[in-house]
């Protein structure tokens, strides 16, 4: 624009100078007309080169954030414009030169956000800037969405359990599931319990230090097509991230001693039980644009169980110790190389040692067996804001699990109902699992539509060695038959206890929330799931939900329906392979000899 304007003025100046020597009286009106025309063209061009930017600042739930402070920086000239959101989170910038900008948003109790935006000549649709709650926030100001349609994805009876609940409630053994499981559907106990989702990825358990958990949400968006379970059948867990401003730490110890407990009625004395939990955390900025969070938990359970058994020689009443040790570690790095991209690296370690298990009641100490479990998990998330209306997240999880059970002795088991159980526990298990998950999920907002779609793949490889009851089990009908050495039956497993198998689980989904006017929104979705070990492919799961606010909007009617599939657990495939007639066989001998059948 500057070069063209200068060239035009130069030519006009030449024309005026030449006119003085030729036909000056006739060209003066012409020059004035040309100058007036130039001013009109320039004013029109400048008016056309300006645009505006409108939008709304929202909290993680979609509610408006009032009084947020905004700065708009031009990428080319670095010029800045400032504005503030109103009481409902709405903001507006006017008179902006066309081009590309960086929008910076600050609000009390929220993390600062930077979003790339573009200003065009034609007014675009309002943008939405969603803020994350700051880790060290003590106060957050939000406003109710009185002037927007109720969202079908929101659920007012959703139960958020934040860090304050988890830290202050007297939870047994510092187990976060002890509180969260109280609010899930009891029917999930028949299908392995609620599905646990940690940072958007399914997990087999919640083996995390309590201080590493930011929130646990139950019954949030019950009919979402993104998940395989309904709202009360899953726990959505978000882990904490470090602070970008200061360093912080925590160290605590919880003790429960046996001297404060009552005596077991079947024990001769109070057993020396003791529960101790060490837990600590450290977080803060690592270097530029990187923050870290580290948390650890060490649990020691000096448990003891009462043994009350009648053997041919004597009545046994004693306490037997069964110590449990558990270590949980979590480390997380958050790296934001630019305002539009973010990386999350997370590593989780779990180690469990349970000794002298199974000794209680009629089971004698010789029936003890040990359990050892270990897990390594690596998680990577790449979050990209392609535009204010399009957000994409790529997630990757890699897992290695091991589970081992060993009997203290390999002697044949002896079972005398109502009297005692002795011999070896006949437990011998070695399980290895290598697997993970790769998923990509995107959110796109266009007009009154909020669309979310994605797909994921879970490959899993298993190696199982299950030599249970390879030493055999004698079962007697009574203590008298044991004294006479007359077992009722003898059972023993033989064959090859080693199996290898793998499976792939695939899923995809699409859902769209449509706001129909100011008092109605409808969520429509479809999910598809597939397991490689099952030859059934018609696994389409439609979902539908609505939210309607009639009259004065003080009442919101919500409803929904959907089809949900439960995946076949790996144990079913494992047992099918072990008992296929080629690997394991069970030998049953009635009235066998004793001690040699």
């Amino acid at each position: 624009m500057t070069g063209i304007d200068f060239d035009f003025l130069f030519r006009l100046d030449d024309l005026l100078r030449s006119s003085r020597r030729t036909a000056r009286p006739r060209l003066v009106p012409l020059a004035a007309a040309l100058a007036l025309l130039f001013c009109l063209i320039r004013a029109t061009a400048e008016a056309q080169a300006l645009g505006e930017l409108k939008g709304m600042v929202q909290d993680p739930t979609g509610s408006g954030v009032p009084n947020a402070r905004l700065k708009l920086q031009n990428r080319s000239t670095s010029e800045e414009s400032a504005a503030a959101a109103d009481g409902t989170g709405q903001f507006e910038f006017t008179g902006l030169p066309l081009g590309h900008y960086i929008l910076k948003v600050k609000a009390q109790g929220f993390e600062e956000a930077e979003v790339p935006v573009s200003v065009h000549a034609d007014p675009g649709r309002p943008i939405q800037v969603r803020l994350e709650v700051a880790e060290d926030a003590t106060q957050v100001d939000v406003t109710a969405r009185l002037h927007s349609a109720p969202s079908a994805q929101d659920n007012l009876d959703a139960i958020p359990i934040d860090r304050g609940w988890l830290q202050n409630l007297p939870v047994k053994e510092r187990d976060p599931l002890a509180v969260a499981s109280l609010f899930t559907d009891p029917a999930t106990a028949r299908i392995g319990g609620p599905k646990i989702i940690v940072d958007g990825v399914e997990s087999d358990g919640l083996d995390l230090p309590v201080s590493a958990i930011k929130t646990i949400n139950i019954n949030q968006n019950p009919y979402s097509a993104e998940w395989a379970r309904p709202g009360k059948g899953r726990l959505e867990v978000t882990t904490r991230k470090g602070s970008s401003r200061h360093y912080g730490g925590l160290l605590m110890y919880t003790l429960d001693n046996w001297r404060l407990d009552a005596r077991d009625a079947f024990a001769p004395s109070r057993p020396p039980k003791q529960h101790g939990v060490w837990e600590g955390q450290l977080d803060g900025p690592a270097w530029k644009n990187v923050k870290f969070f580290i948390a650890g938990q060490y649990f020691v359970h000096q448990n003891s169980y009462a043994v009350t058994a009648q053997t041919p020689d004597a009545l046994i009443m004693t306490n037997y110790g069964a110590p449990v040790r558990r270590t949980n570690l979590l480390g997380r790095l958050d790296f934001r190389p630019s305002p539009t991209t973010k990386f999350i690296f997370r590593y989780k370690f779990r180690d469990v040692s349970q000794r002298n298990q199974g000794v209680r009641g009629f089971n004698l100490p010789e029936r003890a067996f040990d359990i050892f479990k270990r897990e390594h998990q690596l998680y990577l998330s790449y979050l990209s804001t392609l535009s204010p209306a399009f957000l994409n997240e790529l997630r990757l999880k890699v897992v290695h699990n091991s589970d081992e059970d060993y009997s203290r002795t390999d002697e044949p088991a002896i079972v005398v109902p109502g009297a005692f159980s002795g011999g070896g526990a006949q437990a011998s298990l070695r399980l290895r699992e290598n697997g993970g998950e790769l998923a990509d999920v995107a959110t796109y907002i266009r007009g009154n539509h909020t669309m979310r779609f994605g797909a994921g793949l879970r490959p899993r490889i298993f190696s199982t060695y299950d030599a249970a009851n390879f030493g055999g089990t004698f079962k007697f009908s009574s203590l008298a038959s044991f004294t006479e050495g007359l077992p009722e039956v003898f059972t023993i497993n033989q064959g090859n206890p080693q199996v290898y198998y793998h499976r792939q689980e695939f899923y995809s989904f699409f859902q769209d929330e449509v706001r129909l006017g100011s008092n109605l929104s409808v969520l429509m979705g479809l999910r598809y799931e597939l397991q490689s070990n099952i030859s059934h492919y018609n696994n389409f799961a439609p979902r539908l939900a609505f939210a309607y606010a009639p009259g004065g909007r003080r009442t919101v009617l919500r409803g929904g329906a959907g089809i949900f599939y439960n995946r076949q657990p790996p144990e079913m495939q494992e047992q099918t392979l072990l008992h296929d007639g080629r690997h394991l066989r069970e030998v049953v001998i009635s009235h066998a000899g004793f001690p040699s059948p």
Side-chain angles (χ1 to χ4, degrees):
M1 289 292 291
T2 304
I4 296 175
D5 292 345
F6 177 78
D7 186 52
F8 180 79
L9 290 173
F10 177 76
R11 292 178 182 177
L12 180 60
D13 190 50
D14 287 345
L15 181 61
L16 291 175
R17 283 199 299 269
S18 63
S19 66
R20 295 190 188 100
R21 297 190 298 268
T22 56
R24 182 174 182 178
R26 291 187 303 167
L27 292 180
V28 170
L30 177 61
L34 291 175
L36 179 61
L37 178 62
F38 165 73
C39 293
L40 292 175
I41 293 174
R42 183 180 179 89
T44 303
E46 290 181 351
Q48 292 178 348
L50 298 179
E52 62 181 21
L53 181 68
K54 297 181 180 180
M56 181 179 183
V57 182
Q58 299 176 337
D59 68 357
T61 67
S63 299
V65 178
N67 307 320
R69 302 182 302 277
L70 302 99
K71 284 187 178 180
L72 193 64
Q73 184 181 51
N74 192 308
R75 285 188 170 183
S76 301
T77 64
S78 297
E79 294 182 0
E80 290 188 349
S81 302
D86 61 15
T88 62
Q90 306 285 341
F91 66 87
E92 180 179 5
F93 290 90
T94 58
L96 300 173
L98 307 185
H100 302 288
Y101 292 81
I102 292 293
L103 179 62
K104 303 177 182 180
V105 185
K106 292 183 179 180
Q108 180 181 359
F110 294 92
E111 296 282 354
E112 182 178 350
E114 295 186 5
V115 181
V117 295
S118 298
V119 177
H120 303 284
D122 56 327
R125 60 182 179 275
I127 66 172
Q128 296 177 355
V129 181
R130 187 157 293 191
L131 303 181
E132 297 182 10
V133 177
E135 287 292 333
D136 53 355
T138 58
Q139 180 179 352
V140 176
D141 295 328
V142 297
T143 180
R145 288 180 289 177
L146 297 177
H147 304 289
S148 60
S151 174
Q153 301 191 60
D154 293 342
N155 190 25
L156 295 185
D157 67 347
I159 303 170
I161 302 177
D162 59 16
R163 186 158 45 104
W165 278 45
L166 297 173
Q167 292 285 4
N168 298 321
L169 285 177
V171 179
K172 182 180 179 181
E173 301 179 1
R174 299 284 293 172
D175 182 9
L177 282 179
V179 176
S181 298
L182 297 175
F183 303 100
T184 58
D185 192 338
T188 59
R190 303 185 62 181
I191 53 176
K195 184 64 67 177
I196 299 173
I197 301 164
V198 181
D199 292 335
V201 176
E202 289 190 10
S203 178
D204 292 333
L206 190 55
D207 304 300
L208 296 173
V210 174
S211 58
I213 299 175
K214 180 181 179 181
T215 57
I216 302 177
N217 289 296
I218 304 106
N219 204 27
Q220 184 177 23
N221 198 358
Y223 301 100
S224 171
E226 184 174 357
W227 311 115
R229 295 277 186 89
K232 287 194 174 182
R234 66 177 188 267
L235 302 176
E236 298 179 50
V237 182
T238 304
T239 59
R240 292 181 59 192
K241 59 184 177 182
S243 173
S244 58
R245 298 182 179 88
H246 57 266
Y247 295 95
L250 170 70
L251 181 62
M252 62 181 299
Y253 179 66
T254 305
L255 178 65
D256 180 12
N257 191 269
W258 62 277
R259 292 179 175 85
L260 304 176
D261 296 339
R263 181 179 65 85
D264 191 314
F266 294 97
S269 61
R270 285 186 298 178
K273 295 182 179 180
Q274 180 168 301
H275 303 171
V277 182
W278 285 96
E279 187 165 339
Q281 70 165 79
L282 181 65
D283 70 287
W287 56 88
K288 184 179 180 181
N289 299 328
V290 179
K291 47 191 176 183
F292 73 93
F293 181 90
I294 301 174
Q297 182 186 70
Y298 180 64
F299 172 82
V300 180
H301 187 177
Q302 300 292 350
N303 210 345
S304 183
Y305 297 97
V307 177
T308 305
Q310 178 66 60
T311 67
D313 299 327
L315 174 65
I316 298 177
M317 296 182 65
T318 185
N319 294 314
Y320 195 74
V324 176
R325 288 174 171 80
R326 185 172 65 239
T327 303
N328 295 322
L329 299 175
L330 182 134
R332 170 171 169 162
L333 286 176
D334 289 74
F335 173 45
R336 188 181 288 274
S338 71
T340 60
T341 57
K342 179 181 179 181
F343 290 90
I344 299 176
F345 301 91
R346 194 188 73 219
Y347 171 73
K348 187 185 84 168
F349 172 77
R350 174 178 64 107
D351 185 80
V352 179
S353 170
Q354 300 173 269
R355 296 184 179 274
N356 298 338
Q357 299 301 298
V359 180
R360 66 190 68 181
F362 295 121
N363 291 332
L364 299 178
E366 60 197 61
R367 292 273 292 172
F369 62 94
D370 300 332
I371 300 175
F372 303 97
K373 298 180 180 181
R374 180 166 291 184
E375 177 185 5
H376 299 273
Q377 183 185 118
L378 182 65
Y379 170 90
L380 169 65
S381 173
Y382 172 63
L383 186 66
S384 176
T385 305
L386 303 179
S387 73
F390 194 90
L391 178 70
N392 188 78
E393 184 175 8
L394 181 67
R395 304 166 184 156
L396 173 65
K397 182 183 77 169
V398 180
V399 179
H400 172 74
N401 281 321
S402 64
D403 189 348
E404 299 180 358
D405 300 356
Y406 297 104
S407 299
R408 286 297 183 90
T409 175
D410 294 330
E411 295 296 323
I414 300 173
V415 178
V416 183
F420 75 94
S421 294
Q426 295 301 314
S428 181
L429 173 68
R430 292 193 298 272
L431 173 65
R432 300 287 187 274
E433 177 189 354
N434 295 297
E437 180 173 348
L438 177 64
D440 189 80
V441 179
T443 302
Y444 179 59
I445 301 173
R446 183 176 180 85
N448 294 330
H449 296 261
T450 301
M451 290 166 278
R452 190 166 175 84
F453 50 91
L457 177 66
R458 300 189 191 96
R460 306 177 72 179
I461 303 173
F462 297 89
S463 170
T464 302
Y465 179 90
D466 189 356
N469 200 32
F470 263 52
T473 300
F474 290 96
K475 294 182 180 180
F476 295 84
S477 60
S478 64
L479 188 60
S481 63
F482 171 75
T483 305
E484 297 173 359
L486 299 175
E488 184 179 19
V489 67
F490 174 77
T491 61
I492 188 172
N493 289 337
Q494 297 176 343
N496 179 14
Q498 182 77 58
V499 294
Y500 302 92
Y501 61 99
H502 62 87
R503 61 191 295 178
Q504 286 79 38
E505 300 171 359
F506 170 79
Y507 66 90
S508 61
F509 74 94
F510 178 87
Q511 68 181 32
D512 182 16
E513 182 186 21
V514 187
R515 298 180 184 268
L516 304 174
S518 61
N519 60 355
L520 176 64
S521 66
V522 178
L523 175 68
M524 298 170 288
L526 181 65
R527 181 180 177 88
Y528 179 76
E529 296 191 62
L530 179 67
Q531 280 187 243
S532 61
N533 60 309
I534 299 178
S535 57
H536 186 273
Y537 308 106
N538 188 21
N539 304 317
F540 292 95
R543 313 283 170 82
L544 177 66
F546 71 90
Y548 175 60
R553 300 176 55 81
R554 294 184 178 274
T555 301
V556 179
L557 304 178
R558 301 179 185 273
I563 296 176
F564 299 85
Y565 291 96
N566 188 42
R567 290 191 293 271
Q568 186 186 86
E571 292 78 11
M572 294 184 64
Q573 187 176 359
E574 171 192 311
Q575 293 301 313
T576 300
L577 293 174
L578 284 173
H579 298 89
D580 60 356
R582 294 178 299 172
H583 285 83
L584 293 182
R585 59 183 179 273
E586 184 180 27
V587 179
V588 180
I589 303 176
S590 299
H591 306 291
F594 180 78
S596 177

